[in-house]
Amino acid sequence: MRNTFFKCIYLATIVIVGFSSCQKKINDAYSSPNAPVRVPIETILPGVIGGFTAFNSAAGTNFGLQADDILLGRYIQYWGSTSSFENYGEMGGTIGSDNTGAIWGAVYYGHGQNVNRIIEWGTEEQKWDFVGVAYAIRAWGWLELTNQYGDAILKEAFNTSQSQFHYDTQPDFYDSCRVICFRALDYLNRTGGNVNPTNLAASDAYLNKGDLGKWKKFVYGILARSYIDLSSKNIFAQNHYADSAIKYANLSLATNDDNILATFSAATSANGFNSYFGPTRQNIGTIRQGGYIANLLSGVNSATFTGVADPRAWYMLSENANGTFKGVMPWLGVTEYGGSSPTKDFPKNFWRNPIANATVGGAVDSSRYVYTNKGPWPLMTASEMQFIIAEAAYKKGDKDMALTAYKKGISLDFDMLNTTYEFNIPQGHSITPTSKNAYLSNTAVVPAASGGLTLSQIMLQKYIALYGWGTHQTWTDMRKYHYIDKDPQTGNQVYTDFTPPPTAPTNYLISTNNGKYVYRCRPRYNSEYLYDIPELTRIGALNTDYNTYECWFSQP
Amino acid sequence: MWEDFETQQFAIYGTNLIDSTGKDSSNTAVNTRRRLLRNYNGLPNLNIFRELAYFGEASIGYKNLAFLTYSHRFEKASPIPIKNNNYNYPGASLSLIMSDIFPGIKSGDILNYAKLRASLAQTARLNDPYSNQSFFVNNFSSTTLPVTYTYNYTNANPNLQPEQQKTYEIGTELRFLKNAISLDVSYYNTYCYRQIAQLFRASYATGFILNTQNAASLRNQGLEITLNATPIKQNEFNWNITFNFNHMWSKVLTLPSSIDVLKDFYNSDTYISNVRAGLVRGYSTGTLTGSKYQRNNAGQILIDPNTGVPLTSGSGTNFVIADRTPKFTLGTLNNLSYKNWNLSFLWDLKVGGDIYNGTDQLLTNLGKSARTSNRSTPIVVKGVINDAYANTATPTVNTLAIVPKYLTSYYTSLPDEEYVQKNVNWLRLRDVTLSYTLAQNAIRKLKVINSLSFFVTGTDLVLITNYYGVDPAVNANNPGTSGVGGFGMDMGSVATPLGLNFGLRVRF
């Protein structure tokens, strides 16, 4: 009896121990053994920084500015496709694809929860520097996102248990962006805890190299943008936003050493290590510089900088076989240059392959400016800040301040080309102090007195200084002035000579726009057009001309 | 029951092939190679599934008249979050031998046996391991660090539960005329709920791209009738016939809310060109979705006034264009025996159910389908012009002639619905077997052999169908695919081969 009792206990013990060890083995197998669910935030930041330009991970690529720039650049005529009747060249929007959805992908996914974890875990670990950087990236994201798409998801963003989301309006994004900027500054200013400059420098090696001062200036620059982007609104004057824009631009990047430059290792031919615009990745072989920029830099714009050959053309653009600078009308493509049998005016591609209609780089890499594998790709420059000051001061009537900033902006851009992009420039075409001075003292560029300064000059110098890398910002600027708005003081178009796709004699403005110009992008197709239909219906995003809906920032 | 499965995987990615004929990864440039996750450290990436299950069953019988069985199953499995990974479900069945409870019904020797049965059963199903976890994967941006990470696609759902399936079934078994006729009827109703929609897409605003939620439900019902009769039973000649009737219907009840009312939830494994096994709320589970014609309110096809070509919803649009579910199937098995000869054959009848002929679509695009043979003749597509009158009582009837030879877009832009054949029926002779068994006294001398028979079987000898493609028994996928599967989707499917088998059956 006793024996049986102990046998029972013994068996029961085996069963219970067996059961509980099985239970444990099952619970242990829940988490993937292959991949970590928590990693050091130092190892997350490099990928997030890659997401400014073109995200590149084992789970998704190319979210960021650059993929969208290739298409948006056609709206503002920075460049155009070699094909005629091309959708974006005709100011068409995206239908049924993820084109122009790269910023959407970057902000919600590429940066998305990665930025959230840097903030959350960085706070736990008291790594205030990383937290500040993460907030700066989020603030940048909200502004880029809303300027490109208008309404989008803000308040409900990053709620992991929702599968449909409410869209918030643009003013909310602007407010949020600014609030997050100030939060970023708080953390970037915070010392103590586990702030570690060495670790930040390693993670941030391809952007600001751990320089917190630059990160703060970047944040001030975002603030300055958030005010100058509203310069066409009535509240700009009412709320003295010009003063805010000037104040934050002055706190932002001051010298070319401050420039926020995304760089690439080009260590191997792997995509993540090379700029999306570089010859290795071959993404810009079928676009050519726009006729508008080529004319502007060649002195053939009829009203602004007329007759002045801009030395910067040799850095930013590609010459043709005649040694001149010509470009395409984005809706015409290369038809004016002989199409498949190129004339001598046919512009070389951005990597300057000697064969004019080539779609790849040349045998010897002769790429210039931001079109190289290593970049650098500016996210913001000191020159841009000066043009913000110039525009704001001009609007509030302080023409002296405007002229000073205008001159500084041009000078900074020349210097940046001279220092950062001094490669593959043909002999005799490098910028010299003489050529720079000649340009700056030409009254067709810089008026002798501040009274002669025009809004066109400011906006067109900004258009040039942001050429190549600043497509998103320039598109915002041009939408503010509705592409063809006139400057009331001169009666000229702000963007003089700028012609959007004509409607006659041949209609080159895409028919679904119903005669209107493009003012926003549709939200990313594979995120929203398949899975957020009720909300898209509410905001009108299913209408064929949704891409022509004007954003809040450019409405009076 | 204890299950512990582990799959190991090594994979490598590389580009810049050194030799165009080389097929393995050593042929890629060293500096382009990537190994993900644990492969990076030379270890395999693992997929582990563990499950523990135990169950108990109790049966009560009363005088061989009534039987009641109850069972309960307890499970614990690894793919479910720990707080929900212990779950259990019951099952019960009851059967009553009515002919013994009320022996009176047997009088007259018409009904010999009657049984009623009912059962309720529940089961649970699981997601794939790790399909519900947000973890970090390698990032490949420029860096000075040895390895960097960003999140993978998947959104973690800490509340995921096993999906549930509840089935009740009622049935009866009746035997008549000294068991010469037997009839078995059953009706089942399966309700699948809290179904795990695994890795479905939703807005990126979650911060992720793919989601796994208990977000779908559907109901499946069916009627199965088996009738067995022995019309002739003599000493030397016997004829037995069995009918097997099956009628099934289903309805998708709910889908993840990110999928709009008329949009489909699909599994990318069953996706040919633009047509896919998309599920839409309120429709059967056998639907196919694809592009269709644009029509006016009266249902007439709209024609482009500039070209004469019909307007379509366009590639990339997915509307319900077909339902593959048959109306019913009926199998008829005959068995005839005469002395030592035995002949059996099975007729298989399927009525209803649509087929998408992707083969025809492909051939049409290439100009090789018979439908394009009229390419040189002007044709006028039946429809109405898409103008201001399209939705009035007097729409403009299309009279624009097109010559497809000069306007190839007519044939290359036909919508997917054009390639769907509705209500495909078939009657096929699945198999015929003739066998001869040697008489016992003939083999007795061989001593070691108990029986010996010869047979010849022919499979798929006869097919009668209204399908315009090759053979309606099509499947664009393999049986291992998840979801409803690829039946009713024809993409280069070849006809079922005709088979002949000869054989000798020996029993020792």
Side-chain angles (χ1 to χ4, degrees), chain A residues 185-209:
Chain A
L185 290 169
D186 284 347
Y187 282 103
L188 290 168
N189 282 321
R190 193 162 172 179
T191 51
N194 291 314
V195 169
N196 184 328
T198 317
N199 285 353
L200 183 65
S203 296
D204 183 21
Y206 286 88
L207 194 67
N208 290 332
K209 301 185 173 57

PDB file of all heavy atoms in Angstrom, chain A residues 185-209:
ATOM      1  N   LEU A 185      15.202  69.819 -29.479  1.00  0.00           N
ATOM      2  CA  LEU A 185      16.218  70.751 -28.962  1.00  0.00           C
ATOM      3  C   LEU A 185      16.462  70.527 -27.478  1.00  0.00           C
ATOM      4  O   LEU A 185      17.605  70.556 -27.009  1.00  0.00           O
ATOM      5  CB  LEU A 185      15.779  72.195 -29.228  1.00  0.00           C
ATOM      6  CG  LEU A 185      15.804  72.601 -30.704  1.00  0.00           C
ATOM      7  CD1 LEU A 185      15.103  73.944 -30.902  1.00  0.00           C
ATOM      8  CD2 LEU A 185      17.244  72.674 -31.221  1.00  0.00           C
ATOM      9  N   ASP A 186      15.373  70.280 -26.728  1.00  0.00           N
ATOM     10  CA  ASP A 186      15.525  70.009 -25.296  1.00  0.00           C
ATOM     11  C   ASP A 186      16.475  68.846 -25.060  1.00  0.00           C
ATOM     12  O   ASP A 186      17.366  68.902 -24.229  1.00  0.00           O
ATOM     13  CB  ASP A 186      14.164  69.669 -24.664  1.00  0.00           C
ATOM     14  CG  ASP A 186      13.313  70.915 -24.460  1.00  0.00           C
ATOM     15  OD1 ASP A 186      13.869  72.020 -24.582  1.00  0.00           O
ATOM     16  OD2 ASP A 186      12.108  70.756 -24.194  1.00  0.00           O
ATOM     17  N   TYR A 187      16.247  67.771 -25.811  1.00  0.00           N
ATOM     18  CA  TYR A 187      17.088  66.590 -25.601  1.00  0.00           C
ATOM     19  C   TYR A 187      18.500  66.804 -26.121  1.00  0.00           C
ATOM     20  O   TYR A 187      19.464  66.344 -25.524  1.00  0.00           O
ATOM     21  CB  TYR A 187      16.447  65.361 -26.251  1.00  0.00           C
ATOM     22  CG  TYR A 187      15.327  64.792 -25.414  1.00  0.00           C
ATOM     23  CD1 TYR A 187      13.996  65.017 -25.753  1.00  0.00           C
ATOM     24  CD2 TYR A 187      15.610  64.048 -24.263  1.00  0.00           C
ATOM     25  CE1 TYR A 187      12.965  64.508 -24.977  1.00  0.00           C
ATOM     26  CE2 TYR A 187      14.583  63.534 -23.484  1.00  0.00           C
ATOM     27  CZ  TYR A 187      13.255  63.765 -23.845  1.00  0.00           C
ATOM     28  OH  TYR A 187      12.261  63.262 -23.062  1.00  0.00           O
ATOM     29  N   LEU A 188      18.611  67.512 -27.256  1.00  0.00           N
ATOM     30  CA  LEU A 188      19.954  67.739 -27.809  1.00  0.00           C
ATOM     31  C   LEU A 188      20.781  68.628 -26.883  1.00  0.00           C
ATOM     32  O   LEU A 188      22.005  68.567 -26.884  1.00  0.00           O
ATOM     33  CB  LEU A 188      19.847  68.368 -29.203  1.00  0.00           C
ATOM     34  CG  LEU A 188      19.299  67.432 -30.283  1.00  0.00           C
ATOM     35  CD1 LEU A 188      18.950  68.203 -31.553  1.00  0.00           C
ATOM     36  CD2 LEU A 188      20.308  66.328 -30.619  1.00  0.00           C
ATOM     37  N   ASN A 189      20.086  69.446 -26.089  1.00  0.00           N
ATOM     38  CA  ASN A 189      20.792  70.317 -25.140  1.00  0.00           C
ATOM     39  C   ASN A 189      21.084  69.629 -23.816  1.00  0.00           C
ATOM     40  O   ASN A 189      21.766  70.163 -22.962  1.00  0.00           O
ATOM     41  CB  ASN A 189      19.958  71.572 -24.861  1.00  0.00           C
ATOM     42  CG  ASN A 189      20.068  72.566 -25.998  1.00  0.00           C
ATOM     43  OD1 ASN A 189      21.139  72.740 -26.572  1.00  0.00           O
ATOM     44  ND2 ASN A 189      18.947  73.193 -26.344  1.00  0.00           N
ATOM     45  N   ARG A 190      20.479  68.457 -23.628  1.00  0.00           N
ATOM     46  CA  ARG A 190      20.562  67.817 -22.325  1.00  0.00           C
ATOM     47  C   ARG A 190      21.891  67.072 -22.187  1.00  0.00           C
ATOM     48  O   ARG A 190      22.288  66.312 -23.063  1.00  0.00           O
ATOM     49  CB  ARG A 190      19.402  66.832 -22.184  1.00  0.00           C
ATOM     50  CG  ARG A 190      19.194  66.339 -20.790  1.00  0.00           C
ATOM     51  CD  ARG A 190      17.804  65.746 -20.659  1.00  0.00           C
ATOM     52  NE  ARG A 190      17.675  65.100 -19.362  1.00  0.00           N
ATOM     53  CZ  ARG A 190      16.580  64.512 -18.936  1.00  0.00           C
ATOM     54  NH1 ARG A 190      15.500  64.474 -19.708  1.00  0.00           N
ATOM     55  NH2 ARG A 190      16.537  63.938 -17.749  1.00  0.00           N
ATOM     56  N   THR A 191      22.559  67.270 -21.072  1.00  0.00           N
ATOM     57  CA  THR A 191      23.820  66.564 -20.830  1.00  0.00           C
ATOM     58  C   THR A 191      23.588  65.556 -19.718  1.00  0.00           C
ATOM     59  O   THR A 191      22.475  65.411 -19.217  1.00  0.00           O
ATOM     60  CB  THR A 191      24.929  67.549 -20.424  1.00  0.00           C
ATOM     61  OG1 THR A 191      24.411  68.354 -19.362  1.00  0.00           O
ATOM     62  CG2 THR A 191      25.338  68.422 -21.587  1.00  0.00           C
ATOM     63  N   GLY A 192      24.650  64.880 -19.320  1.00  0.00           N
ATOM     64  CA  GLY A 192      24.507  63.902 -18.247  1.00  0.00           C
ATOM     65  C   GLY A 192      23.906  62.623 -18.771  1.00  0.00           C
ATOM     66  O   GLY A 192      23.873  62.372 -19.974  1.00  0.00           O
ATOM     67  N   GLY A 193      23.374  61.800 -17.845  1.00  0.00           N
ATOM     68  CA  GLY A 193      22.842  60.506 -18.251  1.00  0.00           C
ATOM     69  C   GLY A 193      23.928  59.698 -18.941  1.00  0.00           C
ATOM     70  O   GLY A 193      25.095  59.726 -18.538  1.00  0.00           O
ATOM     71  N   ASN A 194      23.520  59.036 -20.027  1.00  0.00           N
ATOM     72  CA  ASN A 194      24.503  58.246 -20.765  1.00  0.00           C
ATOM     73  C   ASN A 194      24.796  58.845 -22.128  1.00  0.00           C
ATOM     74  O   ASN A 194      24.975  58.130 -23.105  1.00  0.00           O
ATOM     75  CB  ASN A 194      24.010  56.804 -20.912  1.00  0.00           C
ATOM     76  CG  ASN A 194      23.998  56.096 -19.574  1.00  0.00           C
ATOM     77  OD1 ASN A 194      24.966  56.173 -18.809  1.00  0.00           O
ATOM     78  ND2 ASN A 194      22.884  55.454 -19.260  1.00  0.00           N
ATOM     79  N   VAL A 195      24.813  60.160 -22.180  1.00  0.00           N
ATOM     80  CA  VAL A 195      25.188  60.820 -23.426  1.00  0.00           C
ATOM     81  C   VAL A 195      26.623  60.431 -23.761  1.00  0.00           C
ATOM     82  O   VAL A 195      27.501  60.508 -22.907  1.00  0.00           O
ATOM     83  CB  VAL A 195      25.052  62.357 -23.277  1.00  0.00           C
ATOM     84  CG1 VAL A 195      25.682  63.074 -24.443  1.00  0.00           C
ATOM     85  CG2 VAL A 195      23.577  62.730 -23.137  1.00  0.00           C
ATOM     86  N   ASN A 196      26.812  59.936 -24.977  1.00  0.00           N
ATOM     87  CA  ASN A 196      28.123  59.410 -25.329  1.00  0.00           C
ATOM     88  C   ASN A 196      28.505  59.845 -26.741  1.00  0.00           C
ATOM     89  O   ASN A 196      28.089  59.246 -27.726  1.00  0.00           O
ATOM     90  CB  ASN A 196      28.075  57.879 -25.237  1.00  0.00           C
ATOM     91  CG  ASN A 196      29.426  57.260 -25.484  1.00  0.00           C
ATOM     92  OD1 ASN A 196      30.241  57.770 -26.249  1.00  0.00           O
ATOM     93  ND2 ASN A 196      29.671  56.139 -24.824  1.00  0.00           N
ATOM     94  N   PRO A 197      29.309  60.918 -26.845  1.00  0.00           N
ATOM     95  CA  PRO A 197      29.661  61.467 -28.154  1.00  0.00           C
ATOM     96  C   PRO A 197      30.328  60.450 -29.070  1.00  0.00           C
ATOM     97  O   PRO A 197      30.105  60.458 -30.282  1.00  0.00           O
ATOM     98  CB  PRO A 197      30.621  62.607 -27.825  1.00  0.00           C
ATOM     99  CG  PRO A 197      30.358  62.937 -26.397  1.00  0.00           C
ATOM    100  CD  PRO A 197      29.920  61.669 -25.742  1.00  0.00           C
ATOM    101  N   THR A 198      31.117  59.548 -28.506  1.00  0.00           N
ATOM    102  CA  THR A 198      31.807  58.565 -29.354  1.00  0.00           C
ATOM    103  C   THR A 198      30.799  57.647 -30.026  1.00  0.00           C
ATOM    104  O   THR A 198      30.881  57.359 -31.220  1.00  0.00           O
ATOM    105  CB  THR A 198      32.775  57.717 -28.495  1.00  0.00           C
ATOM    106  OG1 THR A 198      33.456  58.596 -27.614  1.00  0.00           O
ATOM    107  CG2 THR A 198      33.750  56.961 -29.362  1.00  0.00           C
ATOM    108  N   ASN A 199      29.842  57.149 -29.234  1.00  0.00           N
ATOM    109  CA  ASN A 199      28.842  56.246 -29.806  1.00  0.00           C
ATOM    110  C   ASN A 199      27.988  56.950 -30.847  1.00  0.00           C
ATOM    111  O   ASN A 199      27.687  56.380 -31.895  1.00  0.00           O
ATOM    112  CB  ASN A 199      27.921  55.699 -28.707  1.00  0.00           C
ATOM    113  CG  ASN A 199      28.620  54.650 -27.875  1.00  0.00           C
ATOM    114  OD1 ASN A 199      29.739  54.252 -28.202  1.00  0.00           O
ATOM    115  ND2 ASN A 199      27.976  54.215 -26.806  1.00  0.00           N
ATOM    116  N   LEU A 200      27.592  58.194 -30.557  1.00  0.00           N
ATOM    117  CA  LEU A 200      26.762  58.910 -31.520  1.00  0.00           C
ATOM    118  C   LEU A 200      27.553  59.153 -32.803  1.00  0.00           C
ATOM    119  O   LEU A 200      27.035  58.989 -33.903  1.00  0.00           O
ATOM    120  CB  LEU A 200      26.250  60.233 -30.937  1.00  0.00           C
ATOM    121  CG  LEU A 200      25.310  60.995 -31.872  1.00  0.00           C
ATOM    122  CD1 LEU A 200      24.027  60.216 -32.117  1.00  0.00           C
ATOM    123  CD2 LEU A 200      24.973  62.380 -31.324  1.00  0.00           C
ATOM    124  N   ALA A 201      28.817  59.496 -32.663  1.00  0.00           N
ATOM    125  CA  ALA A 201      29.640  59.752 -33.848  1.00  0.00           C
ATOM    126  C   ALA A 201      29.730  58.509 -34.713  1.00  0.00           C
ATOM    127  O   ALA A 201      29.692  58.589 -35.948  1.00  0.00           O
ATOM    128  CB  ALA A 201      31.038  60.218 -33.430  1.00  0.00           C
ATOM    129  N   ALA A 202      29.821  57.335 -34.088  1.00  0.00           N
ATOM    130  CA  ALA A 202      29.929  56.096 -34.868  1.00  0.00           C
ATOM    131  C   ALA A 202      28.617  55.811 -35.595  1.00  0.00           C
ATOM    132  O   ALA A 202      28.608  55.444 -36.772  1.00  0.00           O
ATOM    133  CB  ALA A 202      30.303  54.931 -33.956  1.00  0.00           C
ATOM    134  N   SER A 203      27.495  55.982 -34.896  1.00  0.00           N
ATOM    135  CA  SER A 203      26.201  55.689 -35.527  1.00  0.00           C
ATOM    136  C   SER A 203      25.854  56.709 -36.593  1.00  0.00           C
ATOM    137  O   SER A 203      25.166  56.413 -37.555  1.00  0.00           O
ATOM    138  CB  SER A 203      25.093  55.678 -34.472  1.00  0.00           C
ATOM    139  OG  SER A 203      25.305  54.647 -33.550  1.00  0.00           O
ATOM    140  N   ASP A 204      26.314  57.915 -36.396  1.00  0.00           N
ATOM    141  CA  ASP A 204      25.949  59.066 -37.231  1.00  0.00           C
ATOM    142  C   ASP A 204      27.062  59.360 -38.237  1.00  0.00           C
ATOM    143  O   ASP A 204      27.172  60.450 -38.768  1.00  0.00           O
ATOM    144  CB  ASP A 204      25.732  60.255 -36.267  1.00  0.00           C
ATOM    145  CG  ASP A 204      25.283  61.533 -36.942  1.00  0.00           C
ATOM    146  OD1 ASP A 204      24.748  61.446 -38.054  1.00  0.00           O
ATOM    147  OD2 ASP A 204      25.474  62.613 -36.353  1.00  0.00           O
ATOM    148  N   ALA A 205      27.900  58.342 -38.524  1.00  0.00           N
ATOM    149  CA  ALA A 205      29.117  58.587 -39.310  1.00  0.00           C
ATOM    150  C   ALA A 205      28.828  59.134 -40.696  1.00  0.00           C
ATOM    151  O   ALA A 205      29.644  59.856 -41.256  1.00  0.00           O
ATOM    152  CB  ALA A 205      29.923  57.294 -39.418  1.00  0.00           C
ATOM    153  N   TYR A 206      27.681  58.816 -41.275  1.00  0.00           N
ATOM    154  CA  TYR A 206      27.425  59.238 -42.649  1.00  0.00           C
ATOM    155  C   TYR A 206      26.467  60.418 -42.753  1.00  0.00           C
ATOM    156  O   TYR A 206      25.935  60.705 -43.805  1.00  0.00           O
ATOM    157  CB  TYR A 206      26.960  58.033 -43.487  1.00  0.00           C
ATOM    158  CG  TYR A 206      28.142  57.134 -43.774  1.00  0.00           C
ATOM    159  CD1 TYR A 206      28.502  56.126 -42.888  1.00  0.00           C
ATOM    160  CD2 TYR A 206      28.938  57.369 -44.884  1.00  0.00           C
ATOM    161  CE1 TYR A 206      29.625  55.350 -43.126  1.00  0.00           C
ATOM    162  CE2 TYR A 206      30.067  56.599 -45.136  1.00  0.00           C
ATOM    163  CZ  TYR A 206      30.402  55.586 -44.253  1.00  0.00           C
ATOM    164  OH  TYR A 206      31.513  54.843 -44.492  1.00  0.00           O
ATOM    165  N   LEU A 207      26.213  61.096 -41.604  1.00  0.00           N
ATOM    166  CA  LEU A 207      25.472  62.351 -41.703  1.00  0.00           C
ATOM    167  C   LEU A 207      26.227  63.450 -40.951  1.00  0.00           C
ATOM    168  O   LEU A 207      27.059  64.104 -41.535  1.00  0.00           O
ATOM    169  CB  LEU A 207      24.026  62.198 -41.211  1.00  0.00           C
ATOM    170  CG  LEU A 207      23.113  63.346 -41.592  1.00  0.00           C
ATOM    171  CD1 LEU A 207      22.879  63.402 -43.092  1.00  0.00           C
ATOM    172  CD2 LEU A 207      21.769  63.274 -40.887  1.00  0.00           C
ATOM    173  N   ASN A 208      25.973  63.584 -39.661  1.00  0.00           N
ATOM    174  CA  ASN A 208      26.574  64.708 -38.940  1.00  0.00           C
ATOM    175  C   ASN A 208      27.751  64.309 -38.061  1.00  0.00           C
ATOM    176  O   ASN A 208      28.244  65.112 -37.289  1.00  0.00           O
ATOM    177  CB  ASN A 208      25.503  65.403 -38.096  1.00  0.00           C
ATOM    178  CG  ASN A 208      24.504  66.136 -38.959  1.00  0.00           C
ATOM    179  OD1 ASN A 208      24.837  66.569 -40.057  1.00  0.00           O
ATOM    180  ND2 ASN A 208      23.273  66.241 -38.490  1.00  0.00           N
ATOM    181  N   LYS A 209      28.160  63.055 -38.143  1.00  0.00           N
ATOM    182  CA  LYS A 209      29.328  62.565 -37.398  1.00  0.00           C
ATOM    183  C   LYS A 209      29.236  62.879 -35.909  1.00  0.00           C
ATOM    184  O   LYS A 209      30.223  63.196 -35.248  1.00  0.00           O
ATOM    185  CB  LYS A 209      30.616  63.139 -37.981  1.00  0.00           C
ATOM    186  CG  LYS A 209      30.803  62.775 -39.454  1.00  0.00           C
ATOM    187  CD  LYS A 209      32.141  63.234 -39.988  1.00  0.00           C
ATOM    188  CE  LYS A 209      32.373  62.709 -41.389  1.00  0.00           C
ATOM    189  NZ  LYS A 209      31.318  63.092 -42.353  1.00  0.00           N
TER     190      LYS A 209
END
